[in-house]
Amino acid sequence: MTTSPDITLYTTGGQNGGKPSIILEELGIPYKVKNIELRKNEQFEPWFLKINPNGKIPAIVDHSKDDFPVFESTAIAIYLCENYDTEEKLLPKNDPKLRSQVIQWVIFEASGIGPAQGQSNFYCRFNSEKIPFAINKCANEIKRLYGVLNKSLEGKEYLVGNKFTLADAMSYPMVRGHFFSGVESIDEFPNLKAWIERIDARPATQKGLNVPVPDKMKEYRENPEKLEEFEKLMQSYFKDRLKI
């Protein structure tokens, strides 16, 4: 018998922070949200470090399972599916091959796309000193990874089993923000571009993107002044935190 979920999500706006809320919304799992104020260093407070010793968002606490904490977005996604995806909407349970394929793409995002775009975000947006070598290196790696996705999506709507799964849900929040990570256009990846547009139309995913604060990615793309304002804010934060 599946326990009725009672979950608190600790997160903030952003590409990585939106992954668990997308999973929760797609699975229809009720949850509460605590917005972690990163610029106030709330993620380093003792109470939060008990939930995530690494001092990063996102994290969850499953109160229905003795206040069990889970940190790291990939671990959270798999945990939620293993415990509450009874209809196998996002993660197959009874087909070992399909399950493995989904998990392979989830790890592909966690080990490739996420780190590559995270590094690029820093060098393109958050570091006040622009270093062309670092920016170009990150962009080239992102494009290489996008090429892998684009080829794998040839003749398919989604990455595994031709249906929306965790494989798609975990990469989408990062890839949709390609311009923010230094890859202005993805016209050279038509399958990937169509895939983004397809997922853009999913109401649950869009709802998840706007947790706990309204998603800003579209606004940043359409309004360079807003993007520049955010960049300066984050540059000030990182300058103070990293002493750069």
Side-chain angles (χ1 to χ4, degrees):
M1 182 176 179
T2 303
T3 305
S4 178
D6 180 10
I7 289 170
T8 299
L9 168 64
Y10 300 86
T11 189
T12 191
Q15 292 166 297
N16 196 51
K19 294 172 188 175
S21 50
I22 288 174
I23 306 306
L24 288 161
E25 293 292 342
E26 286 284 350
L27 294 179
I29 299 173
Y31 63 101
K32 302 179 286 290
V33 183
K34 164 64 176 172
N35 184 18
I36 302 299
E37 298 285 349
L38 300 182
R39 290 194 295 274
K40 295 181 180 179
N41 291 323
E42 191 174 7
Q43 69 274 27
F44 300 125
E45 293 185 6
W47 70 266
F48 185 74
L49 291 175
K50 290 180 180 179
I51 297 170
N52 183 358
N54 197 31
K56 294 180 181 292
I57 59 94
I60 65 168
V61 171
D62 190 344
H63 307 290
S64 62
K65 296 187 184 295
D66 301 318
D67 292 331
F68 184 70
V70 187
F71 64 93
E72 293 294 332
S73 56
T74 301
I76 294 168
I78 293 175
Y79 175 87
L80 291 172
C81 288
E82 287 184 336
N83 285 274
Y84 301 112
D85 187 8
T86 56
E87 299 177 10
E88 301 184 44
K89 292 180 179 179
L90 299 180
L91 182 62
K93 294 181 179 179
N94 298 314
D95 187 325
K97 291 182 179 178
L98 277 180
R99 179 181 175 84
S100 177
Q101 288 172 6
V102 171
I103 291 177
Q104 288 171 52
W105 284 113
V106 169
I107 299 302
F108 174 82
E109 189 283 324
S111 64
I113 293 174
Q117 292 199 217
Q119 286 289 311
S120 191
N121 290 349
F122 178 79
Y123 287 115
C124 287
R125 307 295 177 189
F126 304 152
N127 189 20
S128 55
E129 179 187 359
K130 301 307 177 187
I131 305 172
F133 174 80
I135 292 172
N136 292 334
K137 184 177 184 296
C138 288
N140 288 337
E141 175 62 5
I142 292 169
K143 287 184 178 181
R144 185 189 71 80
L145 295 166
Y146 285 3
V148 174
L149 288 173
N150 189 71
K151 185 175 181 180
S152 298
L153 285 165
E154 190 169 343
K156 298 190 298 185
E157 293 188 348
Y158 299 104
L159 287 166
V160 178
N162 216 23
K163 61 170 285 190
F164 183 82
T165 68
L166 212 55
D168 309 286
M170 296 301 284
S171 286
Y172 166 78
M174 300 301 297
V175 178
R176 69 185 285 269
H178 57 84
F179 78 95
F180 192 85
S181 301
V183 179
E184 184 62 31
S185 172
I186 58 169
D187 288 346
E188 64 187 285
F189 308 113
N191 300 326
L192 186 63
K193 189 174 183 180
W195 174 82
I196 293 172
E197 293 170 354
R198 202 170 291 122
I199 301 176
D200 281 344
R202 297 184 66 86
T205 291
Q206 296 310 307
K207 187 175 180 181
L209 282 176
N210 288 278
V211 173
V213 295
D215 175 60
K216 297 286 189 180
M217 201 59 70
K218 184 178 180 181
E219 180 182 11
Y220 290 154
R221 175 145 206 172
E222 295 176 350
N223 191 332
E225 291 182 358
K226 287 289 185 180
L227 177 58
E228 184 178 0
E229 181 181 313
F230 177 69
E231 285 182 3
K232 288 181 178 179
L233 185 67
M234 293 306 296
Q235 286 169 9
S236 175
Y237 168 76
F238 277 104
K239 186 175 182 179
D240 180 63
R241 179 181 167 188
L242 303 177
K243 308 301 180 185
I244 55 177

